[in-house]
Amino acid sequence: KGGLKPSALIIGALGRCGKGATWVAEQCGVTPIKWDMQETKGGGPFKALLDVDVLVNCIYLTSKIPSFLTKEMITPPGRKLSVFVDVSCDTSNPNNPFPIYNQGTTLTAPILSVGDEKAPLDVVAIDHLPSLIPLESSINYSKDLIPYIKELIEKDAFFTKPVWKDAGDLYLSKLKEAGL
């Protein structure tokens, strides 16, 4: 807007995706406002989310929480928020704290406009958005996976190690479901 840098707020800024989103914003010359559990623990909705140009949701949703934004909040005039990037993509989760849209977007159709036709809110909700930072994703995934791979050295890992036992049980249940 007129050569000015947009204001941005990242929710879940202390997590992996949030740190990645912060890094991307900073590479673009934007210093985002960072929110995490401390800022959201009181429960929403949060009118302050309407006072930035770009809102990025990176929370890891584990349970029901109050909505952070509602459809009613995004329709009044005077809203500064124009882009909502939902890295978490919890559209089908009944606990979704952003019930302002109900479908994901794709790399070929990345924007879904919602709300008022005269002042729409552009939503980017690509379900595999974190993979756009492949090095960080690969490093973190490997760090989490390696301890479990090392367990496979033990000959009875599939029977004694919880992760492998659960994986084996799931595999067998899917075979049974498929009639195999």
Side-chain angles (χ1 to χ4, degrees):
K1 294 180 180 179
L4 299 175
K5 292 179 185 173
S7 57
L9 190 149
I10 298 172
I11 297 181
L14 300 181
R16 284 186 207 154
C17 289
K19 287 177 183 175
T22 298
W23 179 84
V24 168
E26 290 170 347
Q27 297 307 300
C28 295
V30 175
T31 303
I33 300 164
K34 300 175 195 173
W35 279 23
D36 210 85
M37 293 174 76
Q38 182 66 32
E39 291 79 7
T40 61
K41 70 180 178 185
F46 300 105
K47 188 175 177 328
L49 301 180
L50 302 171
D51 298 333
V52 293
D53 297 304
V54 179
L55 172 62
V56 182
N57 174 39
C58 297
I59 69 165
Y60 177 66
L61 186 61
T62 58
S63 60
K64 177 79 174 152
I65 58 175
S67 295
F68 288 177
L69 281 181
T70 64
K71 286 182 181 178
E72 295 75 28
M73 291 173 71
I74 65 168
T75 52
R79 160 182 53 83
K80 184 175 181 182
L81 181 64
S82 60
V83 177
F84 172 58
V85 180
D86 194 356
V87 177
S88 298
C89 291
D90 286 317
T91 57
S92 62
N93 188 327
N95 301 326
N96 179 9
F98 292 96
I100 58 174
Y101 73 104
N102 59 6
Q103 68 186 64
T105 62
T106 66
L107 290 173
T108 56
I111 297 171
L112 170 69
S113 295
V114 298
D116 186 74
E117 287 181 15
K118 294 178 183 171
L121 174 61
D122 289 336
V123 175
V124 177
I126 302 170
D127 202 18
H128 54 280
L129 206 52
S131 67
L132 295 179
I133 307 176
L135 178 61
E136 180 187 359
S137 298
S138 296
I139 290 169
N140 286 317
Y141 180 71
S142 296
K143 186 173 49 172
D144 290 345
L145 184 61
I146 286 173
Y148 299 108
I149 297 295
K150 287 180 177 179
E151 290 179 351
L152 289 175
I153 293 171
E154 298 176 28
K155 69 177 182 174
D156 61 350
F158 281 103
F159 305 104
T160 62
K161 299 297 182 181
V163 167
W164 295 112
K165 184 178 179 326
D166 291 349
D169 291 346
L170 179 62
Y171 175 73
L172 293 174
S173 73
K174 294 300 178 183
L175 284 177
K176 188 175 181 179
E177 275 181 33
L180 301 174

